[in-house]
């Protein structure tokens, strides 16, 4: 009996030992999970603030382990061999020791969540999940800033700086290509005055749509991928537009090219800001803005060097003409091609990968940044110490499913509709609290700065050309009541008016007519061979027994009741003719734009050096207010030299506002909405550019008062609104 009793006692003690051991191992597993969740940077001293929770958990774990060890030692004498060789993965069933729960307990537990078990997202409120994601994003922002500081600023950032600079340069080129090729393209394609100006508006329309679309898509698909697609679109259609002959097809190509390049600005600044630390962000984003100015200089220099050289052309018969302005369009597409090639060697933004939950891809890119910079510093042995990075909670989105049996076109339309709806919903969040007021202020500043800048940018050259035209018209030579017989004209006639003239048995051979008008004149038995005319007309004239061979004289030149009697036209030139090699006015216009662009250089340098010292808002508001005040000096612009000086002054003052606005806009939006918010603001910029071109362009030669007062009030008002924006200089990138 005593042996039996001792045997039962040892069994009871052994069972108690099994229970204790099971509890100890279960607690050890929970401790490991807690350690993994809180261990962010245990191997590096820079991340001590991420270790505080971990250290507390370890202390709790050690104390609890000590208590368990003490209690276990008390029962160690009664332990059995059943606890030896115990596996961590063994399952312990404790039902016989805890008893069977009653029916009441079962009903109560059905309405509760088991302790330590994760709660399913399907059972949680959407607002709670969004708040949890917001907390994760704030933690990630702080952690990411430390990681970028550890990676350093070096070779990788400068490589990306040059690549993204080429893309931004392409945007600057695209804006100025329109203005430079507009007169030549419309002349070459015989565009009537009623359709003139559509080219400028259609390109800005494409850029407006592209800025919103590609900016929003970059928040969903990634910065690098969207930038590659939009730059490729621009390069292809810009190159194609140089070869098409019809004006309608040319407009379509420039529209799609503008749609592609429209995404460059929002994506470039979002991309580059996400690999910069807080201390470097303002300065280096300002240096990046300089590439837009380089694009202006490049376009102005190429236009000055190529377009006036009309001999740089060839023709295939009379139907296909490739003039110098088309060569200029091809040359202006080269920066875009270079940007596409260079982008293929660059990685995606690691911050974007973290926001969409791709931890491993982001870690690999951050390690690449770290190793590239350390090798450039001569410290290849330095190890990237980051083990794991916080990724925000990923929220499921409800999307409408499309039928699998649909054709490819319907699937594409459905996908496009879905993406646009996603961009729209993301944009609505930019207008929600607490971003609503800042978003409205940013929109006002973008619109006012763009309206004043682009409006005056059109007004200045047009005023200068208007002054040139007045001077040119003042030098016109007028010939009255001439009688010329049996004379051969084989030279250029320019800026002349012939009234009541009589030409008998004259020959017009291999000659050029530029701004020549014949009024109430008569041509008898005259021979016209290889005659080219630009801006020349025959008003109420009479042609008797005349012969025209290989000329461009047609019904568009024979106006106001001109009669053609017993005359013959053979092998007429097809298409409109360009201006001539001795047209120096084109040189002058492009040179003026070149000077105005060079005036931006000092403002760019000053804004980059002082961006982090005096602050974004002071520079933004101050620059806009000074630009508005400088407009009042336009009252004194009565000559070309004075207008050129005012153009340079205005450009130099306004560039600091543009640089500051780009930096503030980049820092005002969180990563998940940065492309969308920036794209919306840039779309407003292009809309204001179209309105500015139309309004200011219509006032050229009419009055100075309205453009001056309008530009001044808009710029000063926008500058005052800019001063009320939040200062983002000390903020980490959310």
């Amino acid at each position: 009996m005593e042996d039996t009793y001792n045997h039962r006692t040892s069994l009871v003690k052994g069972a108690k030992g099994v229970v204790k051991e099971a509890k100890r191992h279960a607690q050890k597993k929970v401790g490991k999970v807690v350690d993994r969740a809180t261990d962010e940077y245990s191997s590096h001293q820079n991340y001590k603030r991420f270790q505080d929770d971990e250290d507390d958990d370890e202390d709790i774990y050690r104390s609890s382990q000590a208590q368990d060890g003490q209690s276990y030692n008390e029962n160690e004498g009664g332990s059995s061999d059943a606890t030896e060789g115990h596996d961590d993965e063994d399952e312990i069933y404790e039902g016989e020791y805890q008893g069977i729960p009653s029916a009441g307990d079962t009903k109560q537990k059905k309405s509760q969540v088991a302790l330590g078990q994760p709660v399913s997202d399907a059972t949680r409120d959407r607002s709670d999940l969004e708040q949890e994601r917001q907390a994760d994003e704030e933690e990630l922002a702080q952690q990411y800033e430390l990681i970028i500081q550890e990676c350093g600023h070096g070779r990788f950032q400068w490589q990306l700086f040059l690549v993204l600079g080429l893309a931004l340069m392409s945007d600057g080129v695209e804006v100025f290509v329109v203005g430079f090729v507009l007169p030549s393209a419309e002349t070459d394609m015989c565009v009537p005055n009623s359709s003139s100006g559509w080219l400028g508006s259609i390109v800005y329309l494409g850029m407006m749509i592209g800025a919103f679309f590609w900016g929003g898509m970059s928040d969903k698909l990634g910065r690098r991928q969207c930038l590659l697609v939009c730059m490729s679109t621009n390069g292809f259609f810009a190159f194609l537009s140089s070869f098409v002959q019809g004006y309608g097809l040319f407009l379509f190509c420039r529209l799609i090219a503008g749609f592609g390049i429209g995404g460059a600005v929002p994506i470039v600044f979002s991309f580059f800001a996400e690999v910069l630390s807080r201390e470097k962000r303002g300065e280096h984003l300002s240096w990046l803005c300089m590439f837009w100015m380089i694009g202006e200089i490049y376009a102005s220099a190429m236009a000055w060097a190529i377009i006036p050289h009309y001999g740089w052309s060839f023709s295939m018969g009379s139907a296909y003409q490739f003039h110098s302005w088309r060569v200029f369009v091809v040359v202006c597409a080269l920066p875009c091609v270079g940007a596409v090639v260079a982008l293929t060697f660059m990685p995606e933004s690691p911050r974007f990968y973290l926001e969409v939950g791709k931890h491993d891809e982001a870690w690999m890119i951050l390690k690449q940044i770290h190793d590239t910079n350390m090798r450039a510093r001569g410290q290849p042995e330095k190890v990237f110490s980051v083990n794991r990075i916080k990724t925000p909670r990923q929220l499921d989105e409800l999307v409408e499913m499309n039928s699998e049996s649909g054709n490819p076109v319907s699937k594409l339309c459905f996908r496009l509709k879905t993406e646009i709806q996603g961009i729209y919903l993301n944009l609505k969040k930019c207008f929600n609290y607490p971003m609503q007021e800042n978003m409205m202020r940013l929109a006002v500043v973008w619109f006012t700065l763009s309206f004043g800048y682009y409006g005056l940018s059109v007004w200045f050259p047009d005023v200068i050309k208007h002054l040139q035209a007045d001077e040119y018209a003042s030098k016109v030579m007028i010939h009255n009541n001439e009688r010329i017989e049996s004379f051969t004209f084989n030279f250029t006639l320019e800026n002349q008016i012939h009234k009541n003239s009589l030409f008998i048995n004259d020959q017009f051979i291999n000659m050029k007519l530029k701004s020549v008008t014949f009024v109430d004149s008569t041509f008898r038995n005259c021979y016209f061979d290889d005659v080219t005319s630009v801006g020349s007309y025959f008003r109420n004239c009479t042609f008797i027994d005349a012969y025209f061979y290989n000329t461009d004289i047609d019904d568009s030149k024979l106006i106001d009741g001109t009669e053609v009697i017993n005359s013959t036209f053979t092998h007429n030139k097809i298409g409109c003719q360009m201006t001539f090699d001795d047209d120096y006015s084109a040189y002058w216009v492009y040179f003026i734009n070149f000077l105005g662009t060079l005036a931006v250089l000092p403002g760019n340098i000053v804004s980059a050096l002082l961006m982090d010292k005096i602050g974004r808002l002071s520079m933004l508001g101050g620059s806009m207010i000074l630009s508005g005040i400088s407009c009042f000096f336009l009252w004194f612009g009565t000559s070309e030299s004075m207008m050129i000086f005012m153009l340079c002054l205005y450009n130099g003052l306004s560039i600091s506002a543009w640089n500051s606005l780009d930096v503030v806009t980049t820092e005002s939006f969180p990563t998940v909405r940065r492309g969308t918010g920036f794209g919306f603001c840039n779309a407003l910029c292009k809309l204001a550019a179209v309105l500015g071109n139309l309004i200011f362009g219509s006032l050229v030669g009419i009055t100075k008062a309205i453009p001056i007062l309008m530009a001044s009030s808009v710029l000063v008002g926008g500058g005052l609104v800019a001063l009320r924006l939040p200062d983002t200089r000390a903020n980490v990138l959310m």
Side-chain angles (χ1 to χ4, degrees), residues 538-555:
F538 299 87
R539 298 180 182 275
N540 195 29
C541 295
T542 302
F543 291 88
I544 303 174
D545 296 327
Y547 185 81
F548 297 87
Y549 178 83
N550 192 27
T551 70
D552 65 345
I553 300 175
D554 54 17
D555 292 339

Side-chain angles (χ1 to χ4, degrees), residues 231-250:
M231 295 301 294
S232 301
T233 302
N234 171 256
F236 176 77
F237 282 94
F239 186 79
L240 182 63
S241 67
S242 65
F243 295 96
V244 299
Q245 294 295 302
Y247 191 62
L249 189 57
F250 181 77

Side-chain angles (χ1 to χ4, degrees), residues 229 292 298 560 565 624 676 684 705:
V229 174
W292 204 85
Y298 178 80
D560 295 343
I565 302 173
M624 292 185 67
T676 303
L684 278 181

Side-chain angles (χ1 to χ4, degrees), residues 382-632:
K382 196 168 184 180
V383 179
F384 185 54
S385 62
V386 178
N387 294 326
R388 194 146 36 87
I389 311 170
K390 181 69 175 180
T391 55
R393 171 180 287 275
Q394 302 302 306
L395 303 180
D396 296 332
E397 297 182 359
L398 297 177
V399 295
E400 182 182 355
M401 300 300 293
N402 190 22
S403 174
E404 295 293 336
S405 60
N407 56 52
V409 176
S410 64
K411 289 183 178 180
L412 177 62
C413 295
F414 177 80
R415 176 66 185 273
L416 187 62
K417 174 186 174 184
T418 304
E419 297 297 344
I420 293 176
Q421 287 178 345
I423 295 173
Y424 174 72
L425 293 176
N426 208 17
L427 178 63
K428 286 180 62 177
K429 295 180 181 178
C430 295
F431 287 93
N432 292 339
Y433 181 82
M435 297 179 59
Q436 182 178 5
E437 292 185 3
N438 295 337
M439 186 66 182
M440 297 300 296
R441 291 169 183 164
L442 275 175
V444 170
V445 175
W446 271 96
F447 188 88
T448 54
L449 180 58
S450 179
F451 182 81
Y453 177 81
Y454 285 103
L456 288 180
S457 296
V458 170
W459 191 73
F460 274 120
D462 284 349
V463 167
I464 293 174
K465 287 190 288 185
H466 184 72
L467 293 174
Q468 289 178 338
D470 290 343
E471 183 180 359
Y472 186 78
S474 66
K475 297 178 181 180
V476 64
M477 297 177 61
I478 301 177
H479 304 275
N480 293 311
N481 302 316
E482 294 178 301
R483 181 183 176 92
I484 302 175
E485 295 186 43
S486 302
F487 184 80
T488 300
F489 293 89
N490 55 3
F491 48 86
T492 299
L493 296 180
E494 180 179 0
N495 199 19
Q496 298 179 10
I497 298 177
H498 297 266
K499 294 183 178 180
N500 299 315
S501 299
L502 179 60
F503 299 90
I504 303 174
N505 294 323
D506 294 324
Q507 293 184 340
F508 299 83
I509 299 175
N510 192 23
M511 68 169 301
K512 300 172 182 178
L513 302 175
K514 180 183 178 184
S515 300
V516 179
T517 303
F518 297 91
V519 181
D520 299 327
S521 299
T522 302
F523 298 84
R524 294 179 181 272
N525 298 316
C526 292
Y527 179 76
F528 296 84
D529 184 6
D530 193 16
V531 177
T532 302
S533 61
V534 174
S536 300
Y537 301 95
F538 299 87
R539 298 180 182 275
N540 195 29
C541 295
T542 302
F543 291 88
I544 303 174
D545 296 327
Y547 185 81
F548 297 87
Y549 178 83
N550 192 27
T551 70
D552 65 345
I553 300 175
D554 54 17
D555 292 339
S556 64
K557 307 292 179 66
L558 307 176
I559 59 177
D560 295 343
T562 297
E563 293 182 320
V564 180
I565 302 173
N566 197 26
S567 299
T568 304
F569 293 83
T570 59
H571 294 87
N572 270 20
K573 297 179 184 291
I574 297 177
C576 299
Q577 305 303 310
M578 303 294 292
T579 52
F580 310 112
D581 295 337
D582 56 349
D583 181 11
Y584 295 104
S585 62
Y587 283 97
W588 187 240
V589 172
Y590 302 140
F591 182 68
I592 291 172
N593 282 277
F594 182 73
L595 290 178
T597 304
L598 283 181
V600 174
L601 182 60
N604 248 314
I605 297 175
V606 170
S607 64
L609 295 178
L610 300 181
M611 184 67 68
D612 289 321
K613 293 181 174 59
I614 67 175
R616 289 93 158 108
L617 303 185
S618 300
M619 185 171 294
L620 173 59
S623 177
M624 292 185 67
I625 293 174
L626 290 177
S627 299
I629 294 175
S630 69
C631 293
F632 285 103

Side-chain angles (χ1 to χ4, degrees), residues 172-194:
V173 169
E174 184 73 19
V175 170
F176 284 85
V177 163
V178 176
F180 291 152
V181 305
L182 188 59
S184 300
E186 291 178 343
T187 302
D188 187 22
M189 297 179 180
C190 306
V191 178
N193 292 332
S194 59

